[in-house]
Amino acid sequence: MQRRRAWLTLLLLAAPVLGCGGPFPQTTLAPRSDVGWAIQDLFTTVFWWAVAVFVIVEGLLLYTVVRYRRRPQAPPPAHHHGHTGLEIAWTLAPAVILVFIAIPTTLTIFRTSGRAVAGALRVEVIGHQWWWEFRYPDLGVVTANELRVPVGRPVALDLTSADVIHSFWVPGLGGKRDLTQGRTTRLTFTADSTGTYRGQCAEFCGVSHANMRVRLQVDSAPAFDAWVARQLGGVVPAARGSPEERGLEVYRRSACVACHTVAGVSAARIGPDLSHVGSRTTIGSGLLANTPEQLARWIRDAPAVKPGVLMPPMPLPDEDLAAIVAFLRSLQ
Ligand code: CUA
């Protein structure tokens, strides 16, 4: 029984390493982009070098331990001082191995952080404490926390920060890239399969660093175009007397307008752009599902969900809260 449990524990510990089975939405071992594959290939190369070094070193160690172990009545061992041939060998061998690792590593670094290729979809990624802003300068689309890109087309991210250093990391597409205020870093990738890929900030950036999640949605080209078309649409006027219309009114006279953009209504840029918040699957930077209940919970007391968040609690009467939720949900 105990042995079985030990095996099970070992298997569970090894599973993420082996990348087999199980729901591991943030595994680094299932690349879905050219950058991901480049890093995977590099990882494989380094892994086999490490295996070779491990087997040789441990093999020699075990051989020496067994072969030269202390035996009863054995004469005292001979003493040697230096062996030029051996010393040259064990200095040169690691140096050669390091060269074989350094060359592909350097090539991969340059390959994955180059300038945008022609025809790439450009996206500006701005890190904030603790959410992601995505601006598509060629399309006129602004969104937050959920990055949408088409499959098979190069995507060129220009990354920067509005405050402290963050790190953009969606393991399915590849490596991490730091976002630093006052400078722009780059990450160019081409996703090879559609789907939703989870990621998160990978640089400690304050109390809610762990709550700074990101979702990458890779769509087919027509689905992406349809999404862009919807994002370009304005606020659809609500029916007179509807909760949505009332919600717009509440939104207009609340603190919301001081921080958020809703196209045609407000234009502040402190918090995420809400022009199409109803079309997102999550809110609060991936913390909550985008349902009326969770939206109400978020608006009522955001700091209770995400410690340190700039958005203050909004003590609205229940009716106003329901109306504002209806309004935000209607922003598709
Ligand atoms: Cu942003 Cu950690």
Side-chain angles (χ1 to χ4, degrees), residues 166 201 203-205 209 212:
H166 304 273
C201 181
E203 184 78 67
F204 182 70
C205 56
H209 156 68
M212 190 168 166

Side-chain angles (χ1 to χ4, degrees), residues 22-32 132 134 145-147 167-176 189 193-202 210-218 281-282 285-289:
F24 302 120
Q26 288 190 191
T27 175
T28 53
L29 300 176
R32 293 286 181 270
W132 305 91
F134 299 116
N145 302 322
E146 295 183 7
L147 175 61
S167 179
F168 182 82
W169 185 44
V170 180
L173 82 83
K176 301 165 182 170
F189 67 94
S193 3
T194 56
T196 306
Y197 304 98
R198 291 210 312 219
Q200 62 188 78
C201 181
N211 296 326
M212 190 168 166
R213 301 181 196 167
V214 58
R215 292 169 92 84
L216 171 71
Q217 173 74 36
V218 180
T281 58
T282 59
S285 199
L287 278 187
L288 303 174

Side-chain angles (χ1 to χ4, degrees), residues 162-281:
D163 37 56
V164 300
I165 302 177
H166 304 273
S167 179
F168 182 82
W169 185 44
V170 180
L173 82 83
K176 301 165 182 170
R177 196 69 86 226
D178 272 5
L179 297 87
T180 311
Q181 196 185 42
R183 63 172 292 208
T184 301
T185 45
R186 291 194 182 81
L187 179 63
T188 303
F189 67 94
T190 307
D192 62 24
S193 3
T194 56
T196 306
Y197 304 98
R198 291 210 312 219
Q200 62 188 78
C201 181
E203 184 78 67
F204 182 70
C205 56
V207 285
S208 267
H209 156 68
N211 296 326
M212 190 168 166
R213 301 181 196 167
V214 58
R215 292 169 92 84
L216 171 71
Q217 173 74 36
V218 180
D219 289 327
S220 65
F224 178 74
D225 292 342
W227 175 78
V228 171
R230 283 199 306 278
Q231 298 293 303
L232 292 173
V235 175
V236 181
R240 279 186 72 90
S242 65
E244 288 81 4
E245 193 201 36
R246 189 183 145 81
L248 169 61
E249 216 177 278
V250 178
Y251 177 86
R252 274 211 170 103
R253 62 174 155 81
S254 301
C256 318
V257 291
C259 293
H260 294 282
T261 292
V262 167
V265 181
S266 61
R269 274 186 63 186
I270 294 171
D273 189 304
L274 300 178
S275 301
H276 296 278
V277 68
S279 68
R280 294 180 206 146
T281 58

Side-chain angles (χ1 to χ4, degrees), residues 13-297:
L13 287 173
V17 180
L18 300 171
C20 56
F24 302 120
Q26 288 190 191
T27 175
T28 53
L29 300 176
R32 293 286 181 270
S33 78
D34 55 344
V35 171
W37 280 110
I39 293 170
Q40 178 91 332
D41 291 345
L42 187 62
F43 171 73
T44 312
T45 306
V46 175
F47 175 77
W48 287 114
W49 276 113
V51 167
V53 169
F54 178 81
V55 168
I56 292 170
V57 171
E58 295 305 308
L60 283 174
L61 187 69
L62 283 177
Y63 170 79
T64 312
V65 165
V66 175
R67 173 80 173 75
Y68 298 104
R69 70 186 185 279
R70 190 174 174 190
R71 294 183 174 90
Q73 277 107 42
H79 287 254
H80 298 279
H81 285 280
H83 187 296
T84 313
L86 263 181
E87 282 168 22
I88 290 175
W90 71 48
T91 307
L92 273 186
V96 169
I97 293 172
L98 284 182
V99 168
F100 276 106
I101 289 174
I103 291 173
T105 303
T106 313
L107 289 177
T108 307
I109 289 171
F110 281 101
R111 196 176 137 196
T112 59
S113 55
R115 285 187 175 273
V117 293
L121 172 69
R122 291 196 302 142
V123 186
E124 295 163 9
V125 181
I126 304 156
H128 296 260
Q129 283 173 313
W130 291 276
W131 59 282
W132 305 91
E133 183 176 359
F134 299 116
R135 308 181 78 87
Y136 298 67
D138 303 324
L139 303 175
V141 169
V142 180
T143 186
N145 302 322
E146 295 183 7
L147 175 61
R148 305 274 286 233
V149 301
V151 70
R153 179 176 168 193
V155 177
L157 304 183
D158 281 346
L159 309 106
T160 190
S161 171
D163 37 56
V164 300
I165 302 177
H166 304 273
S167 179
F168 182 82
W169 185 44
V170 180
L173 82 83
K176 301 165 182 170
R177 196 69 86 226
D178 272 5
L179 297 87
T180 311
Q181 196 185 42
R183 63 172 292 208
T184 301
T185 45
R186 291 194 182 81
L187 179 63
T188 303
F189 67 94
T190 307
D192 62 24
S193 3
T194 56
T196 306
Y197 304 98
R198 291 210 312 219
Q200 62 188 78
C201 181
E203 184 78 67
F204 182 70
C205 56
V207 285
S208 267
H209 156 68
N211 296 326
M212 190 168 166
R213 301 181 196 167
V214 58
R215 292 169 92 84
L216 171 71
Q217 173 74 36
V218 180
D219 289 327
S220 65
F224 178 74
D225 292 342
W227 175 78
V228 171
R230 283 199 306 278
Q231 298 293 303
L232 292 173
V235 175
V236 181
R240 279 186 72 90
S242 65
E244 288 81 4
E245 193 201 36
R246 189 183 145 81
L248 169 61
E249 216 177 278
V250 178
Y251 177 86
R252 274 211 170 103
R253 62 174 155 81
S254 301
C256 318
V257 291
C259 293
H260 294 282
T261 292
V262 167
V265 181
S266 61
R269 274 186 63 186
I270 294 171
D273 189 304
L274 300 178
S275 301
H276 296 278
V277 68
S279 68
R280 294 180 206 146
T281 58
T282 59
I283 53 167
S285 199
L287 278 187
L288 303 174
N290 192 1
T291 62
E293 299 74 33
Q294 301 288 33
L295 200 49
R297 178 182 165 203

